[in-house]
Amino acid sequence: MTGKATGTPVERVEDERLLRGLGAYVDDLVTPETLHAYFVRSVHANARITAIDVEQAKRLNGVRAVWTGHDLGDLNGPLPLLAPHPDLIAPRTQLPLAVDRVRYVGEAIVMIVADNRYRAEDAAELVEIDYEPLPAVVEFSDSGRGRVHDDVADNVAAVVHQSRGDVEAALAAAPHQLTLDLEIERSGGMPMEGRGVHATWDRRTGRLHVSDSTQSHVAIRQGLSRILGLPLDRLEVVAPDVGGGFGTKIMLFYPEEVLVPLAAMRLEAAVAWTEDRYEHFISANQERGQVHQATVGYDADGKLLAVRTAFVHDTGAYIPYGIAVPAVTGTHLPGQYHVPDYEFTGRVIYTSKPPVSPYRGAGRPQGVFVIERLIGAVAKSLGLEPSEVRRRNFVPEDAFPYDTGLDLHDGSRAIYDSGRYAKGFQLAMGHADLPAFRARQKERRNEGRFTGIGSATYVEGTGVGPYEGCTAALNPNGRIVVEVSVPSQGQGHATTFAQVAADVLGCDPADVVVRSTSGGAGAVGHGTFGSRAAVMAGNAVAAAATTLRRQILDTAAEFFECAVEDLTIDHGLVRVAGTGAGLSLAELATGANPIRYPAGPAAPGPRAGSDAPPIALSATEYFRQRQWVFGSGAHVAEVEVDPATGKTTLLNYVVVHDCGRVLNPLVVDGQILGGLVQGIGGALLELFTFDDTGQPTTTSYLDFRLPTVDDLPPLVLDELQTPSPWNPLGIKGTGEAGIIPVAAAIAEAIEDALEPFGVSVHRMPMTSPRVRHLIATSTPLPKES
């Protein structure tokens, strides 16, 4: 690669269309002829269904179908379990339509298809369902009062456990030891566009076309083919413009993603469903929700000797993603720190809440919160700055590749590929200027103001394998068309991948068109999740473009009757070195095909005689990688807390991240900033709540407060670039990096600000009422004389 386009802040080519309102989302595909689906959902968190009467609903004018689970026949089997794992003791996944039992408020029971949404909702009110309510399992302590699944004892879905070294002996021998009880509560993604599915059935060809607001349309296609018994050649699934995902849309499958296509087939019509915001609150998957007890052994210098954590993970009513989230917590918890002996044990518990699947960060924020709260406690016990304890425990630069001794949930080893942790932290603390802050803090306390500073670091395993594909082709008009299988939900794929291909092919990024394939005959892959798109698809783009470049040069060598080594490609022109001869990519593409129509008379003549076969200037390549690559970073938060109101205000914030080689600084900065904003929400504002019966009590943005621009502090954003040695582009993912350490850094800052009140922060988010409660229940420190 020449590197002329990558590494530069090329503005996103997709923005103009989207900002002008020309995006095409699932709901934009609806026509007057489209039928609309609606789902009758459970109003109980745990109940037996004793009767369902849909007869009145069926008789309503404009209603085309009313189906219960019994009407689906064999199709109403358990939805797929992703990533089966030996640690799963009792995996249970949801039925498309509940038949005799519901396990959370919002679980789908009846599907209605009507001429329009209003008529479908009218019909829903005519459906009568008799329930026998059962005790809901809301808190972990409720497990003794009921079962979510009758055949699952103690509601235990799985137990994850790993260790390195002899933790018991190390803790026993440690000069100091302390234990904390810590908790991060439920939260989840709130994409601007709700979930949605649009399906059409062509009775003439027997083909099904599905448009799905998903992060993985290729996987949806593969799965739908099996579930519906429809050959892949008769099934097309696309992800149109997708208005945000954040993990919420990587679920494979939500019931609606099966039932809407099924309705289109059965009714031989176009059928659409778009989630409203209330449905999102009660039926979209959620995450976080972990309670930890963590013990650390350390010496008088603050060196960490051993860490052990036992935690409980709330997986909700089902476990479609297996152990992914709790396993990521366990394997990422030590983070940037060298902890010689380490052990984690996580019990995964079914509750009467919406199921869990990865939400941006996916278990990492919980792990970082635990290790950083331990470090804060160690520092407090030794009278040190927490930042100093961090400095004394970083994995050193000469330790890479650094084998953590832990296995990731996909079976690969967690080996850190590269990093400069101490340098990144030093850079962040330099921007924060701790000595200057301490001076300001003292002055402010004299004024009755309470400010604090907190820092946190993280590693982010990215580039989840095993492979991703790309097809790159040269069109007769000279444009390069790059097809990938990773749909964009705002990540800037059309810009970044164009930069990668342009560098390889010696053309302008504006001459490269990036498309997300429908998973047809071209290259295939998995999707956009786990901060993998740039690593996996980006390297696949580079590989396909490299092969295409070789084809272009071979073809040009025939035209010019010269050696390939004598040719260069620059600014879209193939030239013979030392001569004035040259062809544009358009001329070359047309000349490679004897028809030559688009380029007209300016195109070169047929190669080596008129009977020469046409050349397909197109290449499909795959990038395969089993080993994750690890990004890293450090955050520093400066806050002010009002003890009277409990309000926490962010005064300043510093982010230093390292995602290896940066392909487009603008895109990376956007990813980091977006993650930070979500992290602020998770640290101070957002949480899902449920009452004792399992009824969700946060069902609108009046209850679930999202951060706005008013909540954002002045930000210093800086970076290191430590290339990964494990992929040709040297890159690491960064999609989730911004959110991971935010709660931990803010927790430490709040605790620092409220140090005179004797406050210890062991729970997030820290909403204003919780801060006031914390102050009221803590013992103030004696005032200095």
Side-chain angles (χ1 to χ4, degrees):
M1 292 181 61
T2 62
K4 293 179 181 176
T6 54
T8 58
V10 176
E11 292 188 356
R12 290 165 36 118
V13 298
E14 50 269 83
D15 284 351
E16 180 181 355
R17 180 176 62 87
L18 297 175
L19 292 172
R20 293 174 64 200
L22 299 178
Y25 302 89
V26 165
D27 212 37
D28 295 316
L29 305 176
V30 172
T31 67
E33 292 73 31
T34 303
L35 304 180
H36 293 257
Y38 184 77
F39 295 88
V40 180
R41 302 180 185 276
S42 173
V43 297
H44 291 280
N46 193 10
R48 301 191 194 284
I49 298 174
T50 56
I52 303 176
D53 185 348
V54 297
E55 293 307 314
Q56 288 191 67
K58 286 181 176 179
R59 290 194 289 269
L60 190 67
N61 286 338
V63 171
R64 303 298 186 91
V66 181
W67 294 330
T68 68
H70 293 295
D71 297 313
L72 302 182
D74 293 340
L75 283 173
N76 204 40
L79 292 168
L81 169 67
L82 298 176
H85 193 279
D87 288 347
L88 285 163
I89 297 171
R92 301 290 182 269
T93 58
Q94 186 171 348
L95 302 178
L97 293 176
V99 175
D100 54 11
R101 179 77 174 268
V102 288
R103 296 180 172 87
Y104 65 94
V105 174
E107 186 165 3
I109 302 173
V110 176
M111 180 183 190
I112 297 172
V113 183
D115 290 344
N116 58 62
R117 173 83 177 217
Y118 306 104
R119 189 53 54 97
E121 293 196 25
D122 288 343
E125 294 183 0
L126 300 176
V127 173
E128 295 183 1
I129 302 175
D130 294 333
Y131 299 93
E132 178 187 331
L134 299 168
V137 179
V138 182
E139 305 296 337
F140 293 129
S141 57
D142 294 337
S143 279
R145 74 179 191 182
R147 289 187 177 185
V148 179
H149 299 271
D150 291 339
D151 59 344
V152 178
D154 299 324
N155 297 312
V156 178
V159 177
V160 296
H161 172 83
Q162 285 192 58
S163 65
R164 68 180 182 219
D166 188 341
V167 174
E168 195 66 34
L171 287 174
H176 303 281
Q177 185 181 130
L178 60 83
T179 297
L180 298 180
D181 293 316
L182 302 163
E183 179 178 6
I184 286 189
E185 298 194 37
R186 272 204 171 217
S187 190
M190 290 289 157
M192 290 180 68
E193 179 203 26
R195 298 179 292 127
V197 188
H198 181 285
T200 60
W201 174 256
D202 188 334
R203 60 187 301 186
R204 297 167 298 181
T205 62
R207 290 176 58 84
L208 178 67
H209 179 93
V210 179
S211 297
D212 190 355
S213 183
T214 176
Q215 296 174 232
S216 184
H217 61 295
V218 175
I220 289 286
R221 177 173 179 261
Q222 305 277 349
L224 267 184
S225 173
R226 180 177 63 81
I227 294 171
L228 299 178
L230 193 64
L232 281 172
D233 60 283
R234 293 169 55 195
L235 174 60
E236 184 178 27
V237 179
V238 300
D241 288 323
V242 178
F246 313 120
T248 305
K249 295 178 181 175
I250 191 58
M251 175 66 179
L252 306 167
F253 285 78
Y254 281 109
E256 299 88 351
E257 290 174 310
V258 174
L259 297 174
V260 172
L262 175 66
M265 292 175 64
R266 285 190 174 183
L267 300 174
E268 297 187 343
V271 180
W273 167 78
T274 300
E275 174 189 68
D276 65 27
R277 192 55 63 183
Y278 176 73
E279 285 181 299
H280 186 82
F281 273 103
I282 65 170
S283 64
N285 287 4
Q286 303 171 357
E287 209 228 82
R288 308 293 191 260
Q290 282 182 194
V291 175
H292 284 249
Q293 184 173 80
T295 300
V296 58
Y298 55 102
D299 66 16
D301 294 326
K303 293 285 287 183
L304 306 182
L305 303 175
V307 170
R308 179 174 61 202
T309 182
F311 65 94
V312 186
H313 169 80
D314 172 5
T315 191
Y318 302 97
I319 190 165
Y321 254 79
I323 63 166
V325 172
V328 167
T329 292
T331 51
H332 281 66
L333 190 146
Q336 299 188 8
Y337 309 111
H338 175 65
V339 183
D341 297 275
Y342 169 63
E343 179 182 40
F344 71 86
T345 304
R347 296 175 73 244
V348 183
I349 301 296
Y350 288 117
T351 63
S352 306
K353 302 176 189 174
V356 161
S357 58
Y359 161 52
R360 197 174 196 174
R364 298 173 183 86
Q366 298 95 311
V368 170
F369 184 68
V370 172
I371 192 69
E372 298 293 10
R373 289 286 68 212
L374 289 175
I375 284 177
V378 168
K380 189 181 292 187
S381 74
L382 298 176
L384 297 171
E385 287 279 3
S387 57
E388 183 56 34
V389 176
R390 293 188 175 95
R391 287 192 181 93
R392 297 177 185 183
N393 287 281
F394 284 124
V395 173
E397 279 189 42
D398 60 4
F400 293 94
Y402 177 78
D403 188 344
T404 67
L406 302 171
D407 294 328
L408 298 162
H409 59 281
D410 67 353
S412 62
R413 189 77 157 188
I415 301 174
Y416 299 168
D417 49 323
S418 65
R420 290 178 288 170
Y421 300 157
K423 185 175 181 61
F425 187 68
Q426 180 183 6
L427 189 57
M429 293 306 296
H431 286 303
D433 195 350
L434 182 61
F437 168 78
R438 289 298 181 208
R440 291 198 302 273
Q441 184 184 45
K442 187 174 182 179
E443 293 174 3
R444 288 165 174 166
R445 282 192 183 167
N446 290 335
E447 299 168 357
R449 297 173 61 192
F450 297 89
T451 59
I453 194 169
S455 57
T457 70
Y458 68 93
V459 297
E460 180 194 8
T462 69
V464 181
Y467 67 86
E468 200 64 42
C470 171
T471 296
L474 175 59
N475 274 0
N477 61 7
R479 287 164 70 84
I480 309 296
V481 178
V482 169
E483 293 189 335
V484 294
S485 300
V486 287
S488 175
Q489 304 91 52
Q491 293 90 346
H493 293 171
T495 306
T496 305
F497 294 155
Q499 291 176 260
V500 172
D503 273 354
V504 175
L505 292 163
C507 63
D508 192 292
D511 293 327
V512 180
V513 178
V514 177
R515 292 176 178 160
S516 179
T517 72
S518 60
V524 297
H526 295 270
T528 305
F529 59 92
S531 303
R532 68 185 298 276
V535 177
M536 302 304 295
N539 279 288
V541 169
T546 299
T547 300
L548 177 61
R549 177 188 174 91
R550 187 166 60 247
Q551 294 174 352
I552 291 171
L553 291 176
D554 287 344
T555 304
E558 284 191 45
F559 281 126
F560 294 119
E561 297 182 345
C562 67
V564 169
E565 292 74 18
D566 294 333
L567 297 171
T568 62
I569 309 178
D570 189 32
H571 291 88
L573 290 174
V574 185
R575 299 179 188 275
V576 182
T579 74
L583 287 173
S584 69
L585 290 177
E587 292 168 334
L588 193 71
T590 305
N593 186 327
I595 296 177
R596 295 184 297 144
Y597 175 72
R607 297 170 302 106
S610 59
D611 58 345
I615 294 176
L617 293 174
S618 175
T620 297
E621 297 288 353
Y622 291 84
F623 177 68
R624 298 172 175 83
Q625 177 171 279
R626 286 284 296 170
Q627 198 67 51
W628 295 23
V629 291
F630 285 80
S632 61
H635 287 206
V636 185
E638 182 182 338
V639 307
E640 179 169 2
V641 183
D642 182 343
T645 65
K647 179 177 174 55
T648 298
T649 303
L650 286 163
L651 301 179
N652 291 294
Y653 206 95
V654 176
V655 175
V656 173
H657 68 91
D658 186 347
C659 61
R661 184 172 170 232
V662 172
L663 298 179
N664 185 321
L666 281 180
V667 170
V668 170
D669 287 355
Q671 289 276 23
I672 295 293
L673 182 59
L676 170 63
V677 173
Q678 283 185 300
I680 291 171
L684 298 174
L685 305 169
E686 303 169 357
L687 76 161
F688 291 120
T689 58
F690 302 81
D691 70 13
D692 291 343
T693 67
Q695 290 290 333
T697 51
T698 40
T699 56
S700 77
Y701 289 140
L702 293 175
D703 315 305
F704 188 92
R705 195 198 146 193
L706 295 173
T708 69
V709 67
D710 293 334
D711 297 300
L712 303 185
L715 173 67
V716 175
L717 181 56
D718 205 346
E719 67 186 23
L720 292 178
Q721 294 193 35
T722 309
S724 172
W726 291 348
N727 65 76
L729 294 178
I731 57 179
K732 308 171 183 180
T734 192
E736 298 168 272
I739 198 172
I740 295 171
V742 182
I746 292 177
E748 185 170 288
I750 293 174
E751 188 170 296
D752 183 49
L754 298 179
E755 186 263 346
F757 297 90
V759 161
S760 294
V761 178
H762 293 164
R763 183 185 191 190
M764 294 301 270
M766 269 289 112
T767 60
S768 296
R770 286 184 173 177
V771 170
R772 290 201 307 272
H773 176 77
L774 202 57
I775 293 172
T777 55
S778 299
T779 303
L781 298 180
K783 291 185 178 179
E784 293 182 5
S785 58

